Amino acid sequence: SQQGEEDPQALSIQEGENATMNCSYKTSINNLQWYRQNSGRGLVHLILIRSNEREKHSGRLRVTLDTSKKSSSLLITASRAADTASYFCATVDSNYQLIWGAGTKLIIKP
Amino acid sequence: EPEVTQTPSHQVTQMGQEVILRCVPISNHLYFYWYRQILGQKVEFLVSFYNNEISEKSEIFDDQFSVERPDGSNFTLKIRSTKLEDSAMYFCASSVQVIMNTEAFFGQGTRLTVV
């Protein structure tokens, strides 16, 4: 089955800088979703981008999708300490299941 | 803002015991899911539920697992005879449409520890 894979696995940046995380997947998708997980907590939906969309914005978040490269990126601009979390991409497969990547652990240093 | 709620937040159980994890999905949602995340590993799909029946399930969801929507609001996951390897964070999620068309909303999770 298809599988989202994020890179980098971990990212540590200074507060105020931009953070970029990437996700690659293997098969065709209907949509790709990004989620955030604070340590030991639940998954919070951030943004959904459909296969016919190339870019989407939500506040300080910008997601791009390149279906020819089977990849997506999540950009967080002007990062804050509260953005410290793990970020996951998930794709929807033909069985209507969310297939998750291993996540990127983002640390924002004050 | 409506949210998915899960109880308990943490459950410790003896190996071989039955556990029931409870979830209250968002009220106007029609699709319900259970996922699990073993510590340090990826989130894994367990089962999806629609119209009072299982619509999809993964290889993980064997005969030891069952789901139920006993009333109009609760959605439960039962593990009949827990094993050590069932220790994980279990997430319930719901969506208003099929997941291909919309996002899923997740609860805060139940941390299950089997000893």
Side-chain angles (χ1 to χ4, degrees):
Chain A
S1 61
Q2 64 196 35
Q3 194 173 40
E5 294 293 343
E6 291 92 341
D7 80 270
Q9 290 185 325
L11 180 62
S12 181
I13 61 174
Q14 289 294 137
E15 193 168 20
E17 292 180 341
N18 295 342
T20 300
M21 289 158 274
N22 302 298
C23 167
S24 60
Y25 56 92
K26 293 179 181 167
T27 62
S28 62
I29 58 170
N30 180 274
N31 68 61
L32 185 145
Q33 305 182 26
W34 284 91
Y35 288 81
R36 184 186 73 221
Q37 184 181 35
N38 290 79
S39 180
R41 304 296 300 280
L43 294 152
V44 176
H45 179 263
L46 296 175
I47 205 161
L48 180 155
I49 187 163
R50 301 190 191 283
S51 58
N52 61 353
E53 296 175 309
R54 292 295 165 259
E55 190 171 308
K56 209 159 180 182
H57 297 255
S58 176
R60 293 183 297 113
L61 306 180
R62 174 177 165 253
V63 166
T64 62
L65 179 64
D66 187 336
T67 52
S68 66
K69 295 180 180 175
K70 292 187 167 56
S71 68
S72 173
S73 68
L74 170 67
L75 168 68
I76 303 174
T77 59
S79 62
R80 303 168 183 167
D83 295 329
T84 294
S86 290
Y87 291 82
F88 296 88
C89 71
T91 53
V92 180
D93 73 358
S94 55
N95 290 323
Y96 309 114
Q97 301 171 24
L98 277 173
I99 307 297
W100 298 80
T104 293
K105 186 169 283 190
L106 176 66
I107 296 171
I108 309 298
K109 295 179 286 190
Chain B
E1 187 174 323
E3 59 181 13
V4 176
T5 55
Q6 289 185 244
T7 54
S9 56
H10 191 187
Q11 174 135 14
V12 181
T13 188
Q14 294 267 343
M15 192 169 57
Q17 295 293 306
E18 174 183 286
V19 293
I20 297 177
L21 309 183
R22 301 180 193 280
C23 170
V24 179
I26 294 174
S27 61
N28 65 330
H29 286 188
L30 301 176
Y31 297 81
F32 313 114
Y33 316 86
W34 283 100
Y35 288 80
R36 79 170 186 193
Q37 185 181 32
I38 294 171
L39 187 63
Q41 296 187 25
K42 292 185 181 183
V43 178
E44 300 172 292
F45 170 77
L46 293 178
V47 65
S48 59
F49 192 87
Y50 170 70
N51 201 25
N52 284 320
E53 61 183 25
I54 291 173
S55 44
E56 295 291 338
K57 61 182 180 179
S58 70
E59 313 83 64
I60 302 167
F61 194 88
D62 61 22
D63 292 343
Q64 292 298 311
F65 290 87
S66 62
V67 289
E68 199 176 32
R69 189 154 161 80
D71 52 42
S73 60
N74 290 285
F75 179 50
T76 62
L77 174 69
K78 183 193 290 186
I79 308 175
R80 262 181 269 285
S81 177
T82 50
K83 309 184 194 82
L84 294 176
E85 54 265 36
D86 293 327
S87 295
M89 194 79 155
Y90 287 80
F91 293 106
C92 172
S94 68
S95 61
V96 63
Q97 298 178 33
V98 65
I99 198 67
M100 290 189 78
N101 295 327
T102 189
E103 66 271 29
F105 291 82
F106 283 78
Q108 290 295 304
T110 292
R111 183 172 297 282
L112 177 65
T113 303
V114 182
V115 297

